[in-house]
């Protein structure tokens, strides 16, 4: 197990062509490289099988990501999720190694500073079902939550972020109202 729990889950550009989405300017590791990495690791059955699974809480193992990126192998018991969060300006990718995850995200770039409560416009909600073998990449302003809605089956996923996460913002949501609840720094991931 890693010294600190993993950050939430991670963030799909245009359907069918996530590799075509450019990485943020000045980034050391591209979205393509991160997505290729998480897909490759998710397909490594021997590595995935080393992750201990807990029936009640998420488990994780820190991995060496490409080019100095931060990477995690994460086990999701039935009925667990991350809650709404962002990745502090890092871009990343994740892929499903086993089971199925649901990603709910916002198709809007939120300001990163100077607010505690926002009312979201209609039509910003997105939801994706990601079965085994599927993955996605996301940019530095991605806000989402990741869920294992299965009542019976664990899911396992691989996540990578570049630069390594400087912080994560956690949000609560009631209808269209998104509220900033907490800012976490490495070592504080919940």
């Amino acid at each position: 197990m890693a010294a600190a729990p993993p950050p939430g889950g991670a963030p799909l550009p245009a359907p069918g062509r996530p590799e075509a989405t450019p990485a943020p300017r000045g980034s050391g590791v591209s979205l393509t490289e991160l997505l290729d990495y998480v897909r490759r690791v998710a397909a490594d059955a021997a590595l995935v099988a080393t992750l201990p699974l807990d029936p009640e809480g998420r488990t994780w193992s820190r991995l060496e990501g490409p080019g100095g990126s931060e990477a995690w192998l994460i086990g999701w018991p039935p009925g667990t999720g991350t809650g709404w969060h962002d990745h502090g300006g890092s871009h990343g990718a994740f892929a499903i190694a086993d089971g199925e995850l649901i990603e709910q995200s916002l198709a809007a770039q939120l300001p990163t500073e100077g607010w505690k409560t926002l009312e979201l416009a209609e039509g910003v909600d997105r939801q994706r079902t990601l079965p085994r073998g599927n993955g996605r990449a996301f940019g530095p302003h991605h806000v989402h939550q990741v869920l294992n809605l299965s009542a019976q089956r664990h899911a396992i996923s691989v996540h990578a972020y570049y630069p390594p996460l400087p912080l994560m913002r956690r949000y609560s949501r009631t209808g269209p109202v998104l509220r900033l609840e907490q800012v976490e720094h490495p070592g504080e991931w919940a």
Side-chain angles (χ1 to χ4, degrees):
M1 295 275 269
L12 189 149
R17 297 257 342 173
E19 299 86 359
T21 303
R25 293 176 86 182
S27 64
V29 180
S30 72
L31 290 174
T32 300
E33 291 169 304
L34 291 177
L35 188 57
D36 288 346
Y37 170 81
V38 297
R39 285 179 171 160
R40 192 170 52 254
V41 173
D44 184 341
L47 176 62
V48 171
T50 66
L51 182 67
L53 300 178
D54 182 318
E56 296 182 21
R58 285 190 301 153
T59 53
W60 56 88
S61 180
R62 183 128 187 202
L63 305 171
E64 284 295 320
S69 64
E70 178 176 0
W72 300 89
L73 181 62
I74 302 175
W76 306 75
T80 60
T82 60
W84 289 96
H85 66 280
D86 70 19
H87 303 93
S90 294
H91 62 279
F94 71 109
I96 312 309
D98 196 21
E100 178 178 278
L101 293 173
I102 304 296
E103 181 197 31
Q104 296 173 339
S105 62
L106 302 176
Q109 184 170 325
L110 303 180
T112 57
E113 303 289 329
W115 67 277
K116 286 287 278 178
T117 303
L118 285 176
E119 186 165 342
L120 301 170
E122 286 188 37
V124 300
D125 289 297
R126 300 290 182 266
Q127 181 167 309
R128 291 180 181 83
T129 300
L130 297 161
R132 180 180 183 189
N134 283 19
R136 78 176 249 76
F138 57 91
H141 300 287
H142 193 69
V143 176
H144 72 159
Q145 65 178 350
V146 178
L147 309 159
N148 178 4
L149 296 181
S150 172
Q152 314 255 321
R153 187 170 180 197
H154 267 78
I156 299 174
S157 57
V158 180
H159 303 252
Y161 310 95
Y162 189 86
L165 299 176
L167 60 89
M168 282 182 38
R169 293 175 197 87
R170 294 204 175 268
Y171 306 97
S172 63
R173 181 158 180 204
T174 306
V177 178
L178 188 70
R179 182 170 287 111
L180 176 63
E181 296 291 344
Q182 183 177 9
V183 177
E184 296 176 351
H185 297 276
E188 301 173 339
W189 311 135

